[in-house]
Structures are given as structure tokens and as C-alpha cells.
Amino acid sequence: MAFAWKASGLTYNKYLSVAARVVRRSLKDDKRLAAERRGEMELRFAKWNNGKQGDNKSVADANAASMAEAGPQSS
């Protein structure tokens, strides 16, 4: 028998993200605010060319830009 998260088409990381968000939202206000701050993250990356580091970019911003370039997807 498959796990429920797998049967619904979620990856394990997405399942953990959803579960963590549910737990954070169920906490009382003072503990919820502290837990939500721990849950936020800012990932950054830089491309390297010829041994030199390029500009640091936010992963979220780069993802949004690439989605905008790709345009709407037709199914």
C-alpha cells in the first residue's frame, strides 16, 4: 500500500512542508509567530564563470523570472 502523500502525487519534501505549515498554524499566537519565523527561508545562488562568482540572486526571484519567460503552459 502506498503512502497517502505519494498516492496524492506529492513529493516527500512538499508533504513535509505542508505538514509543518499545518502544525505552525495550529499553535497559539506567541509560539506560532516564533515558529513561522523559523519556517521562512531565503535561498540564494550565484553562477560561476571562469573561476569568478557572478551576482547573488534569490532562488524565488529567479524561479519567477523563468516562469514568466516560459509563458502560460497549455495542457
Side-chain angles (χ1 to χ4, degrees):
M1 181 171 171
F3 294 106
W5 58 266
K6 192 180 268 189
S8 66
L10 294 174
T11 64
Y12 187 66
N13 284 337
K14 184 66 175 175
Y15 163 73
L16 288 178
S17 174
V18 170
R21 190 173 346 132
V22 168
V23 170
R24 277 189 225 106
R25 288 181 179 174
S26 68
L27 297 172
K28 291 184 179 179
D29 284 339
D30 58 337
K31 296 188 186 232
R32 180 181 51 83
L33 292 174
E36 283 179 353
R37 274 188 237 115
R38 282 194 307 269
E40 295 174 3
M41 65 180 83
E42 177 72 22
L43 297 175
R44 300 186 72 72
F45 72 97
K47 289 188 178 182
W48 289 74
N49 289 322
N50 297 325
K52 297 194 180 199
Q53 181 179 356
D55 293 333
N56 285 329
K57 296 181 183 177
S58 168
V59 171
D61 293 343
N63 189 28
S66 67
M67 294 297 282
E69 285 179 10
Q73 302 251 341
S74 60
S75 298

